PDB file of all heavy atoms in Angstrom:
ATOM      1  N   PRO A 164     -19.043  -6.990  -3.865  1.00 97.00           N
ATOM      2  CA  PRO A 164     -19.036  -7.221  -2.404  1.00 97.00           C
ATOM      3  C   PRO A 164     -17.660  -7.600  -1.877  1.00 97.00           C
ATOM      4  O   PRO A 164     -17.302  -7.229  -0.748  1.00 97.00           O
ATOM      5  CB  PRO A 164     -20.044  -8.352  -2.248  1.00 97.00           C
ATOM      6  CG  PRO A 164     -20.998  -8.156  -3.376  1.00 97.00           C
ATOM      7  CD  PRO A 164     -20.152  -7.692  -4.524  1.00 97.00           C
ATOM      8  N   GLU A 165     -16.884  -8.298  -2.677  1.00 97.00           N
ATOM      9  CA  GLU A 165     -15.543  -8.703  -2.227  1.00 97.00           C
ATOM     10  C   GLU A 165     -14.557  -7.542  -2.166  1.00 97.00           C
ATOM     11  O   GLU A 165     -13.431  -7.723  -1.708  1.00 97.00           O
ATOM     12  CB  GLU A 165     -14.984  -9.827  -3.107  1.00 97.00           C
ATOM     13  CG  GLU A 165     -15.040  -9.557  -4.589  1.00 97.00           C
ATOM     14  CD  GLU A 165     -16.277 -10.178  -5.247  1.00 97.00           C
ATOM     15  OE1 GLU A 165     -17.378 -10.080  -4.675  1.00 97.00           O
ATOM     16  OE2 GLU A 165     -16.106 -10.740  -6.362  1.00 97.00           O
ATOM     17  N   ASP A 166     -14.949  -6.378  -2.622  1.00 98.00           N
ATOM     18  CA  ASP A 166     -14.121  -5.185  -2.463  1.00 98.00           C
ATOM     19  C   ASP A 166     -14.291  -4.544  -1.085  1.00 98.00           C
ATOM     20  O   ASP A 166     -13.580  -3.597  -0.748  1.00 98.00           O
ATOM     21  CB  ASP A 166     -14.466  -4.141  -3.533  1.00 98.00           C
ATOM     22  CG  ASP A 166     -14.104  -4.592  -4.937  1.00 98.00           C
ATOM     23  OD1 ASP A 166     -13.018  -5.173  -5.117  1.00 98.00           O
ATOM     24  OD2 ASP A 166     -14.919  -4.354  -5.853  1.00 98.00           O
ATOM     25  N   THR A 167     -15.220  -5.063  -0.304  1.00 98.00           N
ATOM     26  CA  THR A 167     -15.441  -4.534   1.037  1.00 98.00           C
ATOM     27  C   THR A 167     -14.194  -4.707   1.888  1.00 98.00           C
ATOM     28  O   THR A 167     -13.671  -5.814   2.024  1.00 98.00           O
ATOM     29  CB  THR A 167     -16.629  -5.241   1.700  1.00 98.00           C
ATOM     30  OG1 THR A 167     -17.818  -4.940   0.974  1.00 98.00           O
ATOM     31  CG2 THR A 167     -16.793  -4.801   3.155  1.00 98.00           C
ATOM     32  N   ALA A 168     -13.709  -3.606   2.450  1.00 98.00           N
ATOM     33  CA  ALA A 168     -12.464  -3.624   3.218  1.00 98.00           C
ATOM     34  C   ALA A 168     -12.197  -2.227   3.754  1.00 98.00           C
ATOM     35  O   ALA A 168     -12.857  -1.260   3.368  1.00 98.00           O
ATOM     36  CB  ALA A 168     -11.297  -4.074   2.350  1.00 98.00           C
ATOM     37  N   VAL A 169     -11.210  -2.143   4.622  1.00 98.00           N
ATOM     38  CA  VAL A 169     -10.635  -0.849   4.982  1.00 98.00           C
ATOM     39  C   VAL A 169      -9.513  -0.568   3.991  1.00 98.00           C
ATOM     40  O   VAL A 169      -8.646  -1.421   3.770  1.00 98.00           O
ATOM     41  CB  VAL A 169     -10.104  -0.834   6.422  1.00 98.00           C
ATOM     42  CG1 VAL A 169      -9.474   0.517   6.740  1.00 98.00           C
ATOM     43  CG2 VAL A 169     -11.229  -1.148   7.411  1.00 98.00           C
ATOM     44  N   TYR A 170      -9.552   0.601   3.394  1.00 98.00           N
ATOM     45  CA  TYR A 170      -8.574   0.983   2.385  1.00 98.00           C
ATOM     46  C   TYR A 170      -7.575   1.972   2.983  1.00 98.00           C
ATOM     47  O   TYR A 170      -7.966   2.953   3.631  1.00 98.00           O
ATOM     48  CB  TYR A 170      -9.286   1.613   1.186  1.00 98.00           C
ATOM     49  CG  TYR A 170      -9.956   0.584   0.316  1.00 98.00           C
ATOM     50  CD1 TYR A 170     -11.078  -0.107   0.762  1.00 98.00           C
ATOM     51  CD2 TYR A 170      -9.460   0.285  -0.947  1.00 98.00           C
ATOM     52  CE1 TYR A 170     -11.677  -1.071  -0.024  1.00 98.00           C
ATOM     53  CE2 TYR A 170     -10.062  -0.671  -1.745  1.00 98.00           C
ATOM     54  CZ  TYR A 170     -11.167  -1.348  -1.275  1.00 98.00           C
ATOM     55  OH  TYR A 170     -11.773  -2.305  -2.055  1.00 98.00           O
ATOM     56  N   TYR A 171      -6.303   1.705   2.723  1.00 98.00           N
ATOM     57  CA  TYR A 171      -5.211   2.525   3.254  1.00 98.00           C
ATOM     58  C   TYR A 171      -4.355   3.050   2.107  1.00 98.00           C
ATOM     59  O   TYR A 171      -4.122   2.342   1.121  1.00 98.00           O
ATOM     60  CB  TYR A 171      -4.306   1.689   4.157  1.00 98.00           C
ATOM     61  CG  TYR A 171      -4.985   1.064   5.341  1.00 98.00           C
ATOM     62  CD1 TYR A 171      -5.559  -0.193   5.247  1.00 98.00           C
ATOM     63  CD2 TYR A 171      -5.018   1.719   6.564  1.00 98.00           C
ATOM     64  CE1 TYR A 171      -6.177  -0.784   6.337  1.00 98.00           C
ATOM     65  CE2 TYR A 171      -5.632   1.140   7.667  1.00 98.00           C
ATOM     66  CZ  TYR A 171      -6.204  -0.110   7.543  1.00 98.00           C
ATOM     67  OH  TYR A 171      -6.808  -0.686   8.634  1.00 98.00           O
ATOM     68  N   CYS A 172      -3.855   4.257   2.270  1.00 98.00           N
ATOM     69  CA  CYS A 172      -2.810   4.730   1.373  1.00 98.00           C
ATOM     70  C   CYS A 172      -1.503   4.799   2.157  1.00 98.00           C
ATOM     71  O   CYS A 172      -1.501   4.924   3.390  1.00 98.00           O
ATOM     72  CB  CYS A 172      -3.150   6.072   0.751  1.00 98.00           C
ATOM     73  SG  CYS A 172      -3.281   7.458   1.885  1.00 98.00           S
ATOM     74  N   ALA A 173      -0.399   4.698   1.415  1.00 98.00           N
ATOM     75  CA  ALA A 173       0.912   4.694   2.037  1.00 98.00           C
ATOM     76  C   ALA A 173       1.909   5.351   1.097  1.00 98.00           C
ATOM     77  O   ALA A 173       1.737   5.302  -0.131  1.00 98.00           O
ATOM     78  CB  ALA A 173       1.341   3.267   2.350  1.00 98.00           C
ATOM     79  N   ALA A 174       2.945   5.954   1.656  1.00 97.00           N
ATOM     80  CA  ALA A 174       3.912   6.717   0.878  1.00 97.00           C
ATOM     81  C   ALA A 174       5.296   6.102   0.975  1.00 97.00           C
ATOM     82  O   ALA A 174       5.730   5.693   2.066  1.00 97.00           O
ATOM     83  CB  ALA A 174       3.951   8.167   1.375  1.00 97.00           C
ATOM     84  N   ALA A 175       5.996   6.075  -0.163  1.00 97.00           N
ATOM     85  CA  ALA A 175       7.334   5.506  -0.238  1.00 97.00           C
ATOM     86  C   ALA A 175       8.252   6.428  -1.031  1.00 97.00           C
ATOM     87  O   ALA A 175       7.887   6.884  -2.114  1.00 97.00           O
ATOM     88  CB  ALA A 175       7.294   4.134  -0.906  1.00 97.00           C
ATOM     89  N   ARG A 176       9.436   6.669  -0.525  1.00 96.00           N
ATOM     90  CA  ARG A 176      10.394   7.489  -1.266  1.00 96.00           C
ATOM     91  C   ARG A 176      11.080   6.690  -2.358  1.00 96.00           C
ATOM     92  O   ARG A 176      11.404   7.228  -3.423  1.00 96.00           O
ATOM     93  CB  ARG A 176      11.441   8.071  -0.310  1.00 96.00           C
ATOM     94  CG  ARG A 176      10.919   9.270   0.484  1.00 96.00           C
ATOM     95  CD  ARG A 176      11.949   9.787   1.439  1.00 96.00           C
ATOM     96  NE  ARG A 176      12.224   8.820   2.500  1.00 96.00           N
ATOM     97  CZ  ARG A 176      13.085   9.025   3.486  1.00 96.00           C
ATOM     98  NH1 ARG A 176      13.765  10.142   3.541  1.00 96.00           N
ATOM     99  NH2 ARG A 176      13.250   8.116   4.418  1.00 96.00           N
ATOM    100  N   LEU A 177      11.326   5.417  -2.097  1.00 95.00           N
ATOM    101  CA  LEU A 177      11.935   4.550  -3.092  1.00 95.00           C
ATOM    102  C   LEU A 177      10.841   3.668  -3.671  1.00 95.00           C
ATOM    103  O   LEU A 177      10.028   3.119  -2.925  1.00 95.00           O
ATOM    104  CB  LEU A 177      13.040   3.697  -2.473  1.00 95.00           C
ATOM    105  CG  LEU A 177      14.225   4.474  -1.883  1.00 95.00           C
ATOM    106  CD1 LEU A 177      15.207   3.509  -1.249  1.00 95.00           C
ATOM    107  CD2 LEU A 177      14.895   5.317  -2.953  1.00 95.00           C
ATOM    108  N   TRP A 178      10.867   3.504  -4.983  1.00 94.00           N
ATOM    109  CA  TRP A 178       9.759   2.773  -5.614  1.00 94.00           C
ATOM    110  C   TRP A 178      10.197   2.114  -6.907  1.00 94.00           C
ATOM    111  O   TRP A 178      11.111   2.597  -7.589  1.00 94.00           O
ATOM    112  CB  TRP A 178       8.606   3.752  -5.902  1.00 94.00           C
ATOM    113  CG  TRP A 178       7.334   3.110  -6.359  1.00 94.00           C
ATOM    114  CD1 TRP A 178       6.375   2.540  -5.571  1.00 94.00           C
ATOM    115  CD2 TRP A 178       6.849   2.999  -7.698  1.00 94.00           C
ATOM    116  NE1 TRP A 178       5.336   2.086  -6.337  1.00 94.00           N
ATOM    117  CE2 TRP A 178       5.599   2.354  -7.644  1.00 94.00           C
ATOM    118  CE3 TRP A 178       7.362   3.385  -8.939  1.00 94.00           C
ATOM    119  CZ2 TRP A 178       4.839   2.083  -8.791  1.00 94.00           C
ATOM    120  CZ3 TRP A 178       6.608   3.119 -10.079  1.00 94.00           C
ATOM    121  CH2 TRP A 178       5.363   2.471  -9.989  1.00 94.00           C
ATOM    122  N   SER A 179       9.542   1.023  -7.203  1.00 96.00           N
ATOM    123  CA  SER A 179       9.755   0.333  -8.461  1.00 96.00           C
ATOM    124  C   SER A 179       8.430  -0.246  -8.904  1.00 96.00           C
ATOM    125  O   SER A 179       7.596  -0.616  -8.071  1.00 96.00           O
ATOM    126  CB  SER A 179      10.782  -0.789  -8.287  1.00 96.00           C
ATOM    127  OG  SER A 179      10.754  -1.678  -9.379  1.00 96.00           O
ATOM    128  N   ALA A 180       8.262  -0.323 -10.213  1.00 96.00           N
ATOM    129  CA  ALA A 180       7.035  -0.912 -10.754  1.00 96.00           C
ATOM    130  C   ALA A 180       7.055  -2.439 -10.684  1.00 96.00           C
ATOM    131  O   ALA A 180       6.073  -3.085 -11.043  1.00 96.00           O
ATOM    132  CB  ALA A 180       6.836  -0.455 -12.198  1.00 96.00           C
ATOM    133  N   SER A 181       8.166  -2.983 -10.242  1.00 97.00           N
ATOM    134  CA  SER A 181       8.227  -4.437 -10.052  1.00 97.00           C
ATOM    135  C   SER A 181       7.205  -4.851  -9.001  1.00 97.00           C
ATOM    136  O   SER A 181       7.118  -4.256  -7.919  1.00 97.00           O
ATOM    137  CB  SER A 181       9.633  -4.835  -9.595  1.00 97.00           C
ATOM    138  OG  SER A 181       9.626  -6.148  -9.073  1.00 97.00           O
ATOM    139  N   GLN A 182       6.445  -5.866  -9.336  1.00 95.00           N
ATOM    140  CA  GLN A 182       5.371  -6.301  -8.435  1.00 95.00           C
ATOM    141  C   GLN A 182       5.906  -6.689  -7.060  1.00 95.00           C
ATOM    142  O   GLN A 182       5.286  -6.402  -6.033  1.00 95.00           O
ATOM    143  CB  GLN A 182       4.621  -7.473  -9.068  1.00 95.00           C
ATOM    144  CG  GLN A 182       3.309  -7.806  -8.389  1.00 95.00           C
ATOM    145  CD  GLN A 182       2.508  -8.820  -9.167  1.00 95.00           C
ATOM    146  OE1 GLN A 182       2.897  -9.981  -9.293  1.00 95.00           O
ATOM    147  NE2 GLN A 182       1.387  -8.402  -9.714  1.00 95.00           N
ATOM    148  N   ASP A 183       7.046  -7.343  -7.036  1.00 95.00           N
ATOM    149  CA  ASP A 183       7.625  -7.755  -5.759  1.00 95.00           C
ATOM    150  C   ASP A 183       7.962  -6.551  -4.888  1.00 95.00           C
ATOM    151  O   ASP A 183       8.019  -6.665  -3.662  1.00 95.00           O
ATOM    152  CB  ASP A 183       8.893  -8.580  -5.991  1.00 95.00           C
ATOM    153  CG  ASP A 183       8.571  -9.962  -6.525  1.00 95.00           C
ATOM    154  OD1 ASP A 183       7.405 -10.385  -6.416  1.00 95.00           O
ATOM    155  OD2 ASP A 183       9.487 -10.609  -7.061  1.00 95.00           O
ATOM    156  N   PHE A 184       8.187  -5.424  -5.526  1.00 96.00           N
ATOM    157  CA  PHE A 184       8.570  -4.233  -4.776  1.00 96.00           C
ATOM    158  C   PHE A 184       7.343  -3.469  -4.311  1.00 96.00           C
ATOM    159  O   PHE A 184       7.145  -3.268  -3.102  1.00 96.00           O
ATOM    160  CB  PHE A 184       9.449  -3.333  -5.658  1.00 96.00           C
ATOM    161  CG  PHE A 184      10.152  -2.246  -4.897  1.00 96.00           C
ATOM    162  CD1 PHE A 184      11.412  -2.457  -4.375  1.00 96.00           C
ATOM    163  CD2 PHE A 184       9.560  -1.006  -4.701  1.00 96.00           C
ATOM    164  CE1 PHE A 184      12.071  -1.469  -3.672  1.00 96.00           C
ATOM    165  CE2 PHE A 184      10.210  -0.007  -3.996  1.00 96.00           C
ATOM    166  CZ  PHE A 184      11.463  -0.246  -3.490  1.00 96.00           C
ATOM    167  N   TRP A 185       6.494  -3.036  -5.230  1.00 97.00           N
ATOM    168  CA  TRP A 185       5.421  -2.124  -4.833  1.00 97.00           C
ATOM    169  C   TRP A 185       4.355  -2.800  -3.987  1.00 97.00           C
ATOM    170  O   TRP A 185       3.633  -2.129  -3.250  1.00 97.00           O
ATOM    171  CB  TRP A 185       4.780  -1.431  -6.044  1.00 97.00           C
ATOM    172  CG  TRP A 185       3.903  -2.274  -6.919  1.00 97.00           C
ATOM    173  CD1 TRP A 185       4.268  -2.940  -8.060  1.00 97.00           C
ATOM    174  CD2 TRP A 185       2.493  -2.528  -6.760  1.00 97.00           C
ATOM    175  NE1 TRP A 185       3.187  -3.585  -8.595  1.00 97.00           N
ATOM    176  CE2 TRP A 185       2.087  -3.349  -7.834  1.00 97.00           C
ATOM    177  CE3 TRP A 185       1.551  -2.127  -5.822  1.00 97.00           C
ATOM    178  CZ2 TRP A 185       0.764  -3.777  -7.991  1.00 97.00           C
ATOM    179  CZ3 TRP A 185       0.230  -2.545  -5.977  1.00 97.00           C
ATOM    180  CH2 TRP A 185      -0.141  -3.368  -7.047  1.00 97.00           C
ATOM    181  N   MET A 186       4.273  -4.126  -4.062  1.00 97.00           N
ATOM    182  CA  MET A 186       3.286  -4.823  -3.251  1.00 97.00           C
ATOM    183  C   MET A 186       3.775  -5.106  -1.830  1.00 97.00           C
ATOM    184  O   MET A 186       3.000  -5.557  -0.993  1.00 97.00           O
ATOM    185  CB  MET A 186       2.897  -6.132  -3.920  1.00 97.00           C
ATOM    186  CG  MET A 186       1.961  -5.959  -5.092  1.00 97.00           C
ATOM    187  SD  MET A 186       1.303  -7.536  -5.633  1.00 97.00           S
ATOM    188  CE  MET A 186      -0.065  -6.995  -6.675  1.00 97.00           C
ATOM    189  N   ASP A 187       5.038  -4.819  -1.577  1.00 97.00           N
ATOM    190  CA  ASP A 187       5.616  -5.092  -0.263  1.00 97.00           C
ATOM    191  C   ASP A 187       5.361  -3.900   0.659  1.00 97.00           C
ATOM    192  O   ASP A 187       5.897  -2.821   0.446  1.00 97.00           O
ATOM    193  CB  ASP A 187       7.114  -5.345  -0.413  1.00 97.00           C
ATOM    194  CG  ASP A 187       7.764  -5.804   0.882  1.00 97.00           C
ATOM    195  OD1 ASP A 187       7.144  -5.636   1.960  1.00 97.00           O
ATOM    196  OD2 ASP A 187       8.880  -6.328   0.829  1.00 97.00           O
ATOM    197  N   GLY A 188       4.573  -4.101   1.688  1.00 97.00           N
ATOM    198  CA  GLY A 188       4.228  -3.014   2.592  1.00 97.00           C
ATOM    199  C   GLY A 188       5.428  -2.393   3.288  1.00 97.00           C
ATOM    200  O   GLY A 188       5.372  -1.237   3.713  1.00 97.00           O
ATOM    201  N   ARG A 189       6.511  -3.140   3.383  1.00 97.00           N
ATOM    202  CA  ARG A 189       7.703  -2.627   4.072  1.00 97.00           C
ATOM    203  C   ARG A 189       8.375  -1.499   3.293  1.00 97.00           C
ATOM    204  O   ARG A 189       9.186  -0.758   3.843  1.00 97.00           O
ATOM    205  CB  ARG A 189       8.694  -3.765   4.309  1.00 97.00           C
ATOM    206  CG  ARG A 189       8.170  -4.833   5.247  1.00 97.00           C
ATOM    207  CD  ARG A 189       9.079  -6.049   5.263  1.00 97.00           C
ATOM    208  NE  ARG A 189       9.162  -6.702   3.972  1.00 97.00           N
ATOM    209  CZ  ARG A 189       9.927  -7.764   3.718  1.00 97.00           C
ATOM    210  NH1 ARG A 189      10.694  -8.258   4.666  1.00 97.00           N
ATOM    211  NH2 ARG A 189       9.935  -8.314   2.521  1.00 97.00           N
ATOM    212  N   VAL A 190       8.041  -1.368   2.026  1.00 96.00           N
ATOM    213  CA  VAL A 190       8.602  -0.301   1.198  1.00 96.00           C
ATOM    214  C   VAL A 190       8.086   1.071   1.627  1.00 96.00           C
ATOM    215  O   VAL A 190       8.738   2.082   1.451  1.00 96.00           O
ATOM    216  CB  VAL A 190       8.229  -0.573  -0.281  1.00 96.00           C
ATOM    217  CG1 VAL A 190       8.460   0.632  -1.159  1.00 96.00           C
ATOM    218  CG2 VAL A 190       8.995  -1.784  -0.787  1.00 96.00           C
ATOM    219  N   TYR A 191       6.899   1.081   2.213  1.00 97.00           N
ATOM    220  CA  TYR A 191       6.192   2.335   2.486  1.00 97.00           C
ATOM    221  C   TYR A 191       6.486   2.829   3.895  1.00 97.00           C
ATOM    222  O   TYR A 191       6.422   2.079   4.860  1.00 97.00           O
ATOM    223  CB  TYR A 191       4.689   2.126   2.271  1.00 97.00           C
ATOM    224  CG  TYR A 191       4.385   1.730   0.841  1.00 97.00           C
ATOM    225  CD1 TYR A 191       4.436   0.391   0.447  1.00 97.00           C
ATOM    226  CD2 TYR A 191       4.098   2.687  -0.122  1.00 97.00           C
ATOM    227  CE1 TYR A 191       4.205   0.022  -0.875  1.00 97.00           C
ATOM    228  CE2 TYR A 191       3.849   2.330  -1.438  1.00 97.00           C
ATOM    229  CZ  TYR A 191       3.901   0.998  -1.808  1.00 97.00           C
ATOM    230  OH  TYR A 191       3.675   0.637  -3.112  1.00 97.00           O
ATOM    231  N   GLU A 192       6.779   4.125   3.983  1.00 95.00           N
ATOM    232  CA  GLU A 192       7.232   4.693   5.256  1.00 95.00           C
ATOM    233  C   GLU A 192       6.125   5.364   6.054  1.00 95.00           C
ATOM    234  O   GLU A 192       6.227   5.488   7.267  1.00 95.00           O
ATOM    235  CB  GLU A 192       8.332   5.728   4.960  1.00 95.00           C
ATOM    236  CG  GLU A 192       9.531   5.150   4.240  1.00 95.00           C
ATOM    237  CD  GLU A 192      10.233   6.219   3.419  1.00 95.00           C
ATOM    238  OE1 GLU A 192      10.549   7.275   3.977  1.00 95.00           O
ATOM    239  OE2 GLU A 192      10.444   6.005   2.210  1.00 95.00           O
ATOM    240  N   HIS A 193       5.124   5.834   5.356  1.00 95.00           N
ATOM    241  CA  HIS A 193       4.045   6.550   6.033  1.00 95.00           C
ATOM    242  C   HIS A 193       2.717   5.942   5.622  1.00 95.00           C
ATOM    243  O   HIS A 193       2.504   5.655   4.434  1.00 95.00           O
ATOM    244  CB  HIS A 193       4.057   8.036   5.670  1.00 95.00           C
ATOM    245  CG  HIS A 193       5.374   8.707   5.882  1.00 95.00           C
ATOM    246  ND1 HIS A 193       5.904   8.904   7.134  1.00 95.00           N
ATOM    247  CD2 HIS A 193       6.279   9.203   5.006  1.00 95.00           C
ATOM    248  CE1 HIS A 193       7.076   9.506   7.023  1.00 95.00           C
ATOM    249  NE2 HIS A 193       7.335   9.687   5.742  1.00 95.00           N
ATOM    250  N   TRP A 194       1.835   5.771   6.578  1.00 97.00           N
ATOM    251  CA  TRP A 194       0.536   5.145   6.347  1.00 97.00           C
ATOM    252  C   TRP A 194      -0.580   6.017   6.906  1.00 97.00           C
ATOM    253  O   TRP A 194      -0.419   6.676   7.931  1.00 97.00           O
ATOM    254  CB  TRP A 194       0.475   3.778   7.037  1.00 97.00           C
ATOM    255  CG  TRP A 194       1.353   2.757   6.414  1.00 97.00           C
ATOM    256  CD1 TRP A 194       2.698   2.621   6.573  1.00 97.00           C
ATOM    257  CD2 TRP A 194       0.959   1.711   5.520  1.00 97.00           C
ATOM    258  NE1 TRP A 194       3.169   1.567   5.836  1.00 97.00           N
ATOM    259  CE2 TRP A 194       2.111   0.988   5.176  1.00 97.00           C
ATOM    260  CE3 TRP A 194      -0.271   1.321   4.977  1.00 97.00           C
ATOM    261  CZ2 TRP A 194       2.078  -0.111   4.311  1.00 97.00           C
ATOM    262  CZ3 TRP A 194      -0.302   0.229   4.125  1.00 97.00           C
ATOM    263  CH2 TRP A 194       0.861  -0.476   3.800  1.00 97.00           C
ATOM    264  N   GLY A 195      -1.710   5.973   6.208  1.00 97.00           N
ATOM    265  CA  GLY A 195      -2.899   6.618   6.723  1.00 97.00           C
ATOM    266  C   GLY A 195      -3.649   5.698   7.675  1.00 97.00           C
ATOM    267  O   GLY A 195      -3.250   4.548   7.894  1.00 97.00           O
ATOM    268  N   GLN A 196      -4.732   6.206   8.223  1.00 97.00           N
ATOM    269  CA  GLN A 196      -5.522   5.457   9.203  1.00 97.00           C
ATOM    270  C   GLN A 196      -6.591   4.580   8.539  1.00 97.00           C
ATOM    271  O   GLN A 196      -7.175   3.718   9.208  1.00 97.00           O
ATOM    272  CB  GLN A 196      -6.189   6.418  10.189  1.00 97.00           C
ATOM    273  CG  GLN A 196      -5.185   7.140  11.078  1.00 97.00           C
ATOM    274  CD  GLN A 196      -4.361   6.171  11.896  1.00 97.00           C
ATOM    275  OE1 GLN A 196      -4.889   5.321  12.615  1.00 97.00           O
ATOM    276  NE2 GLN A 196      -3.041   6.272  11.794  1.00 97.00           N
ATOM    277  N   GLY A 197      -6.848   4.805   7.293  1.00 98.00           N
ATOM    278  CA  GLY A 197      -7.797   3.962   6.573  1.00 98.00           C
ATOM    279  C   GLY A 197      -9.188   4.553   6.467  1.00 98.00           C
ATOM    280  O   GLY A 197      -9.601   5.378   7.286  1.00 98.00           O
ATOM    281  N   THR A 198      -9.903   4.119   5.438  1.00 98.00           N
ATOM    282  CA  THR A 198     -11.294   4.498   5.242  1.00 98.00           C
ATOM    283  C   THR A 198     -12.076   3.249   4.859  1.00 98.00           C
ATOM    284  O   THR A 198     -11.613   2.443   4.053  1.00 98.00           O
ATOM    285  CB  THR A 198     -11.436   5.602   4.184  1.00 98.00           C
ATOM    286  OG1 THR A 198     -12.798   6.030   4.104  1.00 98.00           O
ATOM    287  CG2 THR A 198     -10.978   5.154   2.805  1.00 98.00           C
ATOM    288  N   GLN A 199     -13.246   3.082   5.449  1.00 98.00           N
ATOM    289  CA  GLN A 199     -14.038   1.873   5.235  1.00 98.00           C
ATOM    290  C   GLN A 199     -14.820   1.973   3.930  1.00 98.00           C
ATOM    291  O   GLN A 199     -15.498   2.969   3.667  1.00 98.00           O
ATOM    292  CB  GLN A 199     -15.017   1.675   6.388  1.00 98.00           C
ATOM    293  CG  GLN A 199     -15.961   0.490   6.215  1.00 98.00           C
ATOM    294  CD  GLN A 199     -15.242  -0.848   6.327  1.00 98.00           C
ATOM    295  OE1 GLN A 199     -14.436  -1.057   7.241  1.00 98.00           O
ATOM    296  NE2 GLN A 199     -15.533  -1.761   5.408  1.00 98.00           N
ATOM    297  N   VAL A 200     -14.740   0.920   3.145  1.00 98.00           N
ATOM    298  CA  VAL A 200     -15.566   0.774   1.946  1.00 98.00           C
ATOM    299  C   VAL A 200     -16.405  -0.483   2.115  1.00 98.00           C
ATOM    300  O   VAL A 200     -15.867  -1.564   2.360  1.00 98.00           O
ATOM    301  CB  VAL A 200     -14.700   0.670   0.680  1.00 98.00           C
ATOM    302  CG1 VAL A 200     -15.561   0.310  -0.533  1.00 98.00           C
ATOM    303  CG2 VAL A 200     -13.953   1.965   0.438  1.00 98.00           C
TER     304      VAL A 200
END
């Protein structure tokens, strides 16, 4: 039940597997409108 949310995908040209990087929404340049789960 705690997975209930609107889910979004986002695209980034620059990326790193570092958690501080990939978890930062500012890294991503394009966003979808979301889908409800």
Side-chain angles (χ1 to χ4, degrees):
E165 51 264 43
D166 294 318
T167 295
V169 178
Y170 284 70
Y171 301 89
C172 65
R176 282 178 293 181
L177 298 177
W178 189 82
S179 165
S181 165
Q182 193 171 67
D183 288 343
F184 193 91
W185 73 266
M186 284 191 165
D187 187 344
R189 295 170 297 178
V190 166
Y191 299 86
E192 301 153 52
H193 307 292
W194 291 79
Q196 293 301 306
T198 185
Q199 176 70 46
V200 172

